[in-house]
Amino acid sequence: MGAPAADRGLHHRLGQQKLLAELGAYALRGTSLDTLLQEATRLIALGLRTRFSKVMEYLPGEDRLLVRAGVGWREGIVGHYRTGADLAAPTGYTFRTGEPVISSHLACEGRFRTPQLLLDHGIRRAMNVVIRTDGGAWGVLEADSSNPEDFVGDDLAFMQGAANLLGLAIGRMCTEMSLGASLTRTNEILESISDAFYAVDHEWRFTYVNHRAEEWWGRRREDLIGKVYWEEFPQAVGSEAYEAHLRAARERRLVQVEVVSPILHHWVDVSIYPSEHGLSVYFRDISERRTAERALRESEERYRLAVRATNDAIWDWDLQQDRIEWNEALHDAYGYRPEDVDPAGGWWIGHIHPEDRERITRSIHEVIDGTANRWSDEYRFQRADGSYADVLDRGFMVRGPNGEPLRMIGAMLDVTERLRSERDLRQLNEHLEVEAVRRAEQLRLNEEALRQSQKLEAVGQLTGGVAHDFNNLLTIIRSSADLLRRPDLPDERRQRYVEAISDTASRAAKLTSQLLAFARRQPLRPEVFLVGDRIQAVTDLIRPLVGARITIEAAIECEDCAVEADPNQFETALVNLAVNARDAMDGAGRLGREPKQLSTFVGVFVS
């Protein structure tokens, strides 16, 4: 019985070695990682005569172990189930310490907690070994069994061999993936840069051409890779770019040149880097930059000519060296010869009028020492003959990368004549304002005199009619007085004559009062009054004015119509209207006066 059992054991171990060899061959086929891990769990289960096996990968972000591959487990476990990676779990202990764990009786296991996954599947025995790569522990290879037989030392050796094979394969795949990712990133960079790029080996054969080089050359990279540079572009042989390539290859150093490309026929900036495999070359189109530089040179020349032509004194103040450079206008406008001018900033400050000097020094240094970029001020600048010119000075700050003041460039403009004209204009404006006030007052006085004249004219018109009324009233008084002298006059008639005299005197007094009030000269005093009452009062006044053949009618429709106006001016206007109407009627007719409410004001219609 012993010999056959030993033979069966040996046969089983040979089978395990054969499975390891099969796993190694499978790993060398270059299959995917998931496929390799799944095949490993199948072979492990076959070699250990069990239904259950799994590979668990450590997830650093979660600090847990994920079932990455496995056989025998219910659906939904592989790729989803996670277990703890701590020392209290058998898989965690193996992963952390690197020591294998064999649990022959999980029901009696006291060293670790039994994962619920194993209990749910009726697992009685388990064996764990760590999977290592060059980077350290990667995960755990585990075999599980629901059979009563124990795992033995040879089974552990089989598991460890499989784990070693997986570690080597996983490490190789990770390295290949890293190299592939690095190569991909390099290619992506070379394809995304704005520069054209190509590489040649020591035989001047193209090994790489990026997309931008394809575009600029008008050649496909497939047609260039492996071809000799100078044979594909013979027009470059002997050019300055050609010599730069030879110099970089010969001296094994970086060579940078700006040349007109013999291939593109415009300016390019070429950087040639030697490497152990040949040369790596970057080149970019700098035609626009060269055009801009030429335009800048032309612009600077135009600026120099403009500076010579302008009347402004242009200055450039080097704040680091305290040195000011002036253009020729300092002599033309202010009389200073170049040899008379000290380039130091103090010379300019010293020629500012003493009353302006402190203010200008303070204002310009507020800009220099602050963050502003522009300065402008007006002051008096001393000419070479000792007189002072009124100037408008403007400056622009040039600062360094950290905001430090480097230079200030400006222009000083003589505004003496302009300020003199402005002063003359102000004096003229002041004179005109005084004259306007005087004339306005004269106009007011003339208007007041006109109003009084109109009133006097109306009074003159009223005088005749009022005199006639007074004669009538005096006749009544005189007749009544004569009758009262009779000695035989009865008391009743005497009383009636006395009342007639009193009533007539009252009427004369009222007429006199109205005439005096109408003719009185007084300033405008607006007040609120009823239009109907005022029309009725004026009607009594002008009745003798218009004559007996003209009938006066006053239709007062809006008895409550009130206005705010000067009463005397209102009455004067009514009298003038009545006189005009009388003259238009040729001494006979009807004179009507009718006030009406019109929106927010009252109108008086005379017809």
Side-chain angles (χ1 to χ4, degrees), residues 434-447:
V434 171
E435 183 64 19
V437 171
R438 187 188 67 79
R439 294 196 177 190
E441 178 62 19
Q442 185 63 44
L443 179 61
R444 186 189 67 78
L445 294 176
N446 291 342
E447 290 177 348

Side-chain angles (χ1 to χ4, degrees), residues 241-274:
Y242 174 81
E243 296 298 332
H245 282 72
L246 296 183
R247 186 164 64 253
R250 181 177 62 253
E251 299 176 5
R252 308 300 299 165
R253 66 177 181 83
L254 168 65
V255 175
Q256 291 180 295
V257 292
E258 291 186 2
V259 297
V260 175
S261 169
I263 303 171
L264 303 175
H265 306 295
H266 56 64
W267 282 94
V268 292
D269 179 9
V270 184
S271 300
I272 308 170
Y273 295 85

Side-chain angles (χ1 to χ4, degrees), residues 366-373 397-401 403-407:
E366 285 177 354
V367 174
I368 294 172
D369 300 332
T371 59
N373 291 325
M397 282 296 305
V398 178
R399 300 185 182 276
E404 66 275 14
L406 300 179
R407 298 164 60 199

Side-chain angles (χ1 to χ4, degrees), residues 54-68 73 77 79-96 112-119 128 139-142 144:
K54 60 178 179 286
V55 173
M56 307 191 73
E57 178 187 6
Y58 178 67
L59 304 177
E62 301 181 16
D63 192 29
R64 306 185 75 185
L65 290 161
L66 168 69
V67 178
R68 180 73 180 269
W73 309 101
I77 298 300
H80 301 283
Y81 184 79
R82 290 163 169 77
T83 187
D86 56 291
L87 295 174
T91 50
Y93 181 85
T94 297
F95 178 78
R96 298 291 183 188
F112 310 103
R113 67 173 182 271
T114 301
Q116 187 63 40
L117 175 66
L118 302 185
L119 298 176
N128 302 293
V140 175
L141 176 62
E142 180 175 326
D144 303 288

Side-chain angles (χ1 to χ4, degrees), residues 13-26:
R13 304 301 171 229
L14 290 175
Q16 289 179 338
Q17 294 302 315
K18 183 178 179 181
L19 292 174
L20 288 176
E22 185 178 342
L23 178 60
Y26 196 87

Side-chain angles (χ1 to χ4, degrees), residues 26-246:
Y26 196 87
L28 293 175
R29 294 177 188 174
T31 185
S32 68
L33 178 60
D34 287 333
T35 303
L36 173 63
L37 296 179
Q38 190 61 34
E39 179 64 14
T41 57
R42 185 186 71 81
L43 295 176
I44 290 297
L46 183 62
L48 296 178
R49 299 172 183 173
T50 180
R51 291 174 48 213
F52 302 96
S53 176
K54 60 178 179 286
V55 173
M56 307 191 73
E57 178 187 6
Y58 178 67
L59 304 177
E62 301 181 16
D63 192 29
R64 306 185 75 185
L65 290 161
L66 168 69
V67 178
R68 180 73 180 269
V71 293
W73 309 101
R74 290 198 293 267
E75 184 178 356
I77 298 300
V78 176
H80 301 283
Y81 184 79
R82 290 163 169 77
T83 187
D86 56 291
L87 295 174
T91 50
Y93 181 85
T94 297
F95 178 78
R96 298 291 183 188
T97 64
E99 298 178 6
V101 172
I102 299 178
S103 298
S104 298
H105 302 284
L106 288 176
C108 303
E109 180 62 69
R111 296 173 298 171
F112 310 103
R113 67 173 182 271
T114 301
Q116 187 63 40
L117 175 66
L118 302 185
L119 298 176
D120 293 342
H121 286 77
I123 302 301
R124 301 173 62 182
R125 297 178 298 131
M127 180 165 52
N128 302 293
V129 294
V130 68
I131 301 174
R132 290 186 177 279
T133 66
D134 291 340
W138 180 88
V140 175
L141 176 62
E142 180 175 326
D144 303 288
S145 175
S146 57
N147 300 325
E149 293 83 2
D150 292 338
F151 291 124
V152 297
D154 290 337
D155 294 333
L156 180 60
F158 171 64
M159 283 276 290
Q160 192 64 65
N164 293 340
L165 288 174
L166 288 177
L168 291 172
I170 293 171
R172 177 178 56 80
M173 289 181 178
C174 290
T175 300
E176 290 176 351
M177 291 174 60
S178 177
L179 290 175
S182 177
L183 180 60
T184 299
R185 285 194 299 272
T186 300
N187 289 341
E188 288 176 349
I189 292 172
L190 292 176
E191 293 300 322
S192 64
I193 60 176
S194 59
D195 293 357
F197 173 82
Y198 60 90
V200 294
D201 61 17
H202 295 295
E203 302 299 324
W204 302 103
R205 298 181 185 278
F206 286 108
T207 58
Y208 188 88
V209 177
N210 77 345
H211 178 65
R212 185 55 57 91
E214 285 185 303
E215 287 183 345
W216 287 358
W217 284 340
R219 300 284 299 276
R220 296 171 55 240
R221 71 184 76 187
E222 292 84 357
D223 299 333
L224 294 174
I225 300 299
K227 305 291 182 61
V228 177
Y229 185 178
W230 314 121
E231 293 177 357
E232 296 302 311
F233 299 103
Q235 65 269 40
V237 177
S239 67
E240 188 177 351
Y242 174 81
E243 296 298 332
H245 282 72
L246 296 183

